[in-house]
Structure formats: structure tokens, C-alpha cells
Amino acid sequence: MTARRVMGIETEYGVSAPGDPAANAMLMSSQVVNAYAAPLGSRAGRARWDYEDEAPLRDARGWEISRDSAHASQLTDAPEDPGLANVILTNGARLYVDHAHPEYSSPEVMSPRDVVLWDKAGERVMLEAVRRIAANPGLGDVNLYKNNTDNKGASYGTHENYLMRRSTPFADVVKYLTPFFVTRQVFTGAGRVGRGQDGTGTGFQISQRADFFEVEVGLETTLKRPIINTRDEPHASADKYRRLHVIIGDANLCEPATLLKLGTTNLVLAMIEDAAFTRDLSIERPVGTLHDISHDPTLKQQVTLRDGRSMTALELQWLFFEQVSAYVSDRYGDDADEATVEVMHRWESVLSRLGEDPMLCARELDWVAKLRLLEGFRNREGLNWDAHRLQAIDLQYADVRPEKGLYHRLASRGQVERVVTDEEITEAVHEPPHDTRAYFRGRCLARYGEHVAAASWDSVIFDIPGRGALQRVPTLDPSRGTKEHVESLLQRCETAADLVDALAAE
């Protein structure tokens, strides 16, 4: 059991044109992707995304719905407009247009800290795109926000992905992760002014996404959003792996919140895989409870368990922590790996301080940092929670531009805790992780980009001059294609043809 696992995070960014609320979001999103990709030229501009092995309608509960009965938004293996911008980056990430939002999907990584690093690299990519658009007099300005709702009824996602054992019964995933997801928002929430899907309800709530979830389990991601998503599309060997696609998370800017979000989920998932939970923590009314917890920043909202007990979300999180802690101690004692130790330490510390006074976590958690800003402004200006200026501050918190974004101002003043350095982020914008197949994908784009016809999470396809057929290199095992595995091979191969020939000879 460890906090290390193949995983990643994908974020759809909010997009707007200053002074033009009717601007075409899909067009602006394409401008964002193209603005970033243009200087890359043949290194990344030519390769298309390969949809061949995608299966978005396969359900983890054991069936696949028909294309005729699927909502158009579920057909992610058949983009609504093939002409929409779609770029594979040299750091192994994907930058593209998804449902009228520019989306950055991080490369596969192995540790919660690396999730933070390549998630932050995505923020830099979006910032650079905004800068390039602003510098082009032929284009109108575009603003980007790392948030999850326009407060007019629309929500856009921040999704986590965890590769897990195929042999794990999916019913166990639903049973144990549902109460964990309903309550983890006490440290993963991004904070939001307004309640209800259209934001017209008065008040501040913990989560940006909570009000948009309507069912407990399901395949949808944009309609009838479920707490547990059942998409069974592993992007890896299907007989060995399942990819748990988590759609309930908020877009975090605070680095410790992202680390905790992925790290704690990883550990709970590891216990599920090992069938190690000894206590059933299922709750009554998961969807309604999700909303209720989000609506109470005092953290006093009671949660009713199916066994009749009643407790707060914080107390339920303590029960998860205690079980995970006992399991780590029993399995590893003092030999737990560094990533696991860091997650456990932060998890315990945050839960302790949230119980004492949530404001003690203002340096680490977005919803607390945002609430402190808003309360200060409310007190100075004498505003009630229905003041529109508070929603403007909420939006400004998520602006990707350091000179505008309120999170970035807090960071520049040292008022939020950092997990990674600016220098590490700068490198991660171009450099792939070294310990997953993303290294092979990213290096192929950087080294042989003009001859990469397409790529996906589980393949790189070459178009070699003089050869009639495209050459597909499958990458179904995420633990292969690492720097240790392929660096010397790539250094020996001057051309894409050399690489394909060398791989064929192995």
C-alpha cells in the first residue's frame, strides 16, 4: 500500500472575452490551444490525437451502452468537430478543446507531488496562451479561469484518473469511495459564492462542484453527474487495469490541496484493492449530504450513516484516516515510502486544524483562503453575501494571470504554502515525467515530432518517409517507456525510422 500509483489530472478552464458575454466559447478555446501550439511548429503541431482504442461507453459495472442511446457529450472518441484544436505536448500532456473549454490533461505521473507539479505546468501553459493572444492585435483578448462554474448554471470539470487493479470488485469501489468523496470536500473544496447550479442562492459554500451532482453512480460526466463515475476506459492493458475516472473534484490552485486530494484518494483506493476496510462507513442520502456539507463552511453539518450513527464530515474523515493509518503502520511500520508519509502527515494535520478553527488552514486549502479574502472584503465594505461584487472576487481568485488572479497575489506574498518551486514548474512545462510511459511520448514529440502522425495515452504512431503504412508503437503498460527504460535507446536513434527499426528488432 502506497500513495504512489499511475495517475493524472485533467482540467477544463473557464473561458471568456472581456466585454463580450456572447462570444463563441468554442472559437475562443480553439484560439487558446492554437496560440500555445503555433510556436511549437512541427515538434507538436502536426500530430493528431489517436482515438482508436478509446471506449467511453463501456461501463465498469459490466456492460456497454449503445451509441444510439448515448448523449453526444459521451462520444469523446468521435469529436463533434475534428477540426478543433488538439495538441500533444512535449511534456506528455494533451491540450485540446473539450465541450467548449480548453482542457489540459496532465501526463501520467506516479506520486501526488508530481501531480501537483504537472498540474501547475498546465496553469503555465494556459497563461502563456493568454499572453500570446493578448500580444496578437488581430485577436480579441481571452481570459482563462481555473474554476468549475460560470454561476449561470454551467459547470466544467476537473477530473482525476487512477489506474487500479482490474480484479477489484467495482461494488467495493462504490461502497467505500462514496462516503470518502462526499466528505473529502472539507479539504479539497475550491470555495464558491452562491448556491444552487445557477448560483442564485445566497451564501458561501465549500465546493464549486457539489451542487451539480445528482446521482450516486453512473456513466455520465456532463448530465446527471454521479459521485462515482463508471467509465471503464483503462488506456492500458484492459485485462490488468481499470482506470478510475473521478469527476467530483474541484479545480484547486492551492498546491497542498491538490496533493491531499490525490494522495488521500490513492491511499483509500489501495485499501479497497487490498480488501482491508473492516468498517462500513456508508452514509444515507449521499447526494443530498454532499450538498449539505458544501453549504456549511462551519463544518458542523451532521452526516447520517446507514448504521444509524450521526457525525460531521470531519469526524467521518477521521474514521477514514484512522483506518488508513493503522493499515500503513501494520504493513510498513517505519518503512513507509516518502510520498505516503507526507500524505499521512498532511492529512492528520489538516483535519486537526479544521476541527480547531478552519481559518488555520488558509495557507493550504482554497475554500478557506478564498473565504478569508471574502470575509475581509465583506467586513470592510459592509456587504451581505448576495452582493455581486463577491462573485466577482470569487472569479478573480481563479484568473490564471499573476497580475490579476487573487490566488497568485497570495502566492507572491507568501500567504499560501507551496509544494513545488517555480523552477520545477518551468521545467515541467516542457519536460515529461521520468517514471512513466509519458517520458517516451514526450521525448518522441520533442525529438521526432515532424514524423509523429498521432499519439494517445497508449500509443505513438509514426509516419516514416518512404514507408507505405503508419508505424504504431503501443504503450499499453504505463510503467514501461520510462527514462530508465528508453533514454539510451532514444539517444542512439537519430531518426524516427531508426527508432521504429530498433523497436521492431527487439
Side-chain angles (χ1 to χ4, degrees):
M1 178 185 184
T2 173
R4 291 179 59 79
R5 176 188 301 273
V6 177
M7 55 191 164
I9 193 166
E10 37 187 280
T11 301
E12 299 171 37
Y13 282 70
V15 59
S16 72
D20 185 6
N24 186 312
M26 194 171 289
L27 178 60
M28 288 189 290
S29 298
S30 283
Q31 285 181 348
V32 169
V33 177
N34 288 330
Y36 186 78
L40 301 178
S42 60
R43 283 188 297 141
R46 183 186 175 204
R48 61 177 174 80
W49 189 254
D50 176 32
Y51 295 93
E52 182 169 318
D53 292 329
E54 301 206 352
L57 302 181
R58 191 175 300 156
D59 196 300
R61 292 167 291 185
W63 60 78
E64 184 165 347
I65 67 171
S66 70
R67 299 186 77 84
D68 290 341
S69 61
H71 187 270
S73 64
Q74 292 179 275
L75 303 176
T76 55
D77 57 341
E80 47 198 326
D81 181 353
L84 288 177
N86 198 332
V87 181
I88 307 156
L89 305 181
T90 57
N91 69 358
R94 181 187 182 194
L95 176 66
Y96 69 116
V97 179
D98 187 30
H99 301 310
H101 294 274
E103 173 168 332
Y104 171 88
S105 295
S106 81
E108 309 91 324
V109 300
M110 287 297 297
S111 75
R113 183 173 284 267
D114 279 353
V115 170
V116 175
L117 180 57
W118 271 275
D119 182 54
K120 283 289 167 184
E123 293 177 23
R124 288 282 188 89
V125 166
M126 293 299 184
L127 172 62
E128 183 61 28
V130 167
R131 297 279 196 241
R132 289 174 185 173
I133 292 172
N136 188 331
L139 300 174
D141 285 346
V142 172
N143 291 343
L144 292 178
Y145 304 94
K146 195 182 184 191
N147 65 354
N148 297 112
T149 178
D150 62 2
N151 259 354
K152 297 174 183 174
S155 179
Y156 26 96
T158 298
H159 299 172
E160 304 147 54
N161 297 295
Y162 305 86
L163 208 62
M164 60 177 294
R165 297 176 204 157
R166 167 69 61 180
S167 57
T168 304
F170 197 74
D172 288 350
V173 174
V174 174
K175 179 179 179 179
Y176 293 107
L177 275 183
T178 299
F180 179 73
F181 282 162
V182 169
T183 54
R184 73 171 186 172
Q185 60 181 304
V186 297
F187 52 82
T188 66
R192 178 187 176 200
V193 176
R195 293 179 179 174
Q197 294 191 0
D198 61 4
T200 55
T202 300
F204 177 87
Q205 62 174 307
I206 292 172
S207 169
Q208 292 242 327
R209 287 277 274 176
D211 285 349
F212 294 91
F213 282 76
E214 299 174 318
V215 298
E216 296 178 27
V217 183
L219 187 60
E220 293 270 14
T221 58
T222 59
L223 301 169
K224 296 184 292 183
R225 292 183 179 90
I227 295 170
I228 302 291
N229 182 256
T230 58
R231 181 183 292 187
D232 187 5
E233 190 180 36
H235 299 313
S237 299
D239 57 339
K240 294 174 60 178
Y241 301 113
R242 181 195 307 285
R243 178 179 61 117
L244 182 68
H245 189 223
V246 176
I247 71 168
I248 197 171
D250 282 10
N252 293 111
L253 285 152
C254 283
E255 296 172 12
T258 300
L259 187 144
L260 273 172
K261 180 168 62 180
L262 278 290
T264 57
T265 302
N266 235 338
L267 291 170
V268 171
L269 197 54
M271 278 193 71
I272 296 171
E273 288 178 315
D274 288 351
F277 275 104
T278 58
R279 301 165 71 181
D280 183 357
L281 301 176
S282 299
I283 58 179
E284 294 283 357
R285 297 191 316 110
V287 175
T289 302
L290 174 75
H291 301 166
D292 293 341
I293 292 170
S294 182
H295 294 172
D296 178 28
T298 70
L299 304 181
K300 295 177 181 175
Q301 174 66 44
Q302 291 292 301
V303 176
T304 302
L305 274 61
R306 287 185 178 154
D307 63 11
R309 287 180 292 168
S310 183
M311 61 186 67
T312 66
L314 206 52
E315 289 167 337
L316 187 53
Q317 276 292 314
W318 272 116
L319 294 182
F320 274 105
F321 172 82
E322 288 164 3
Q323 290 204 75
V324 173
S325 180
Y327 195 65
V328 170
S329 178
D330 180 62
R331 279 292 182 94
Y332 299 105
D334 294 332
D335 295 327
D337 62 84
E338 186 177 346
T340 301
V341 171
E342 179 177 21
V343 170
M344 294 302 296
H345 173 73
R346 286 184 178 275
W347 194 5
E348 182 176 28
S349 175
V350 162
L351 292 181
S352 296
R353 283 176 289 130
L354 283 174
E356 183 179 348
D357 178 0
M359 286 300 153
L360 295 175
C361 296
R363 288 177 52 81
E364 296 145 272
L365 307 183
D366 286 292
W367 76 266
V368 184
K370 186 182 290 184
L371 180 58
R372 184 172 65 173
L373 278 174
L374 289 162
E375 290 288 21
F377 189 73
R378 267 178 14 98
N379 290 333
R380 286 194 302 275
E381 302 294 323
L383 299 175
N384 295 319
W385 278 111
D386 58 358
H388 293 303
R389 294 161 69 189
L390 298 181
Q391 287 198 342
I393 291 174
D394 187 349
L395 182 63
Q396 193 178 348
Y397 180 88
D399 195 315
V400 302
R401 295 170 295 178
E403 69 277 16
K404 298 289 186 181
L406 295 180
Y407 165 79
H408 294 290
R409 291 190 192 178
L410 294 177
S412 68
R413 295 169 185 164
Q415 295 178 341
V416 290
E417 183 179 337
R418 302 291 305 277
V419 171
V420 295
T421 67
D422 287 338
E423 292 73 20
E424 289 173 320
I425 297 170
T426 298
E427 183 175 321
V429 169
H430 305 288
E431 180 79 7
H434 291 179
D435 51 2
T436 70
R437 64 187 174 189
Y439 181 82
F440 179 76
R441 183 188 317 119
R443 280 285 182 264
C444 284
L445 263 297
R447 192 169 171 83
Y448 317 112
E450 61 185 302
H451 297 304
V452 176
S456 66
W457 304 118
D458 51 20
S459 68
V460 178
I461 300 174
F462 294 93
D463 185 2
I464 309 294
R467 303 190 184 184
L470 297 177
Q471 313 288 309
R472 174 187 289 268
V473 178
T475 56
L476 287 168
D477 186 344
S479 66
R480 296 178 63 83
T482 65
K483 180 177 182 179
E484 180 181 9
H485 187 214
V486 300
E487 182 181 34
S488 62
L489 170 67
L490 294 173
Q491 288 176 341
R492 289 199 310 273
C493 297
E494 289 293 326
T495 67
D498 295 340
L499 176 64
V500 169
D501 290 343
L503 289 170
E506 284 189 350

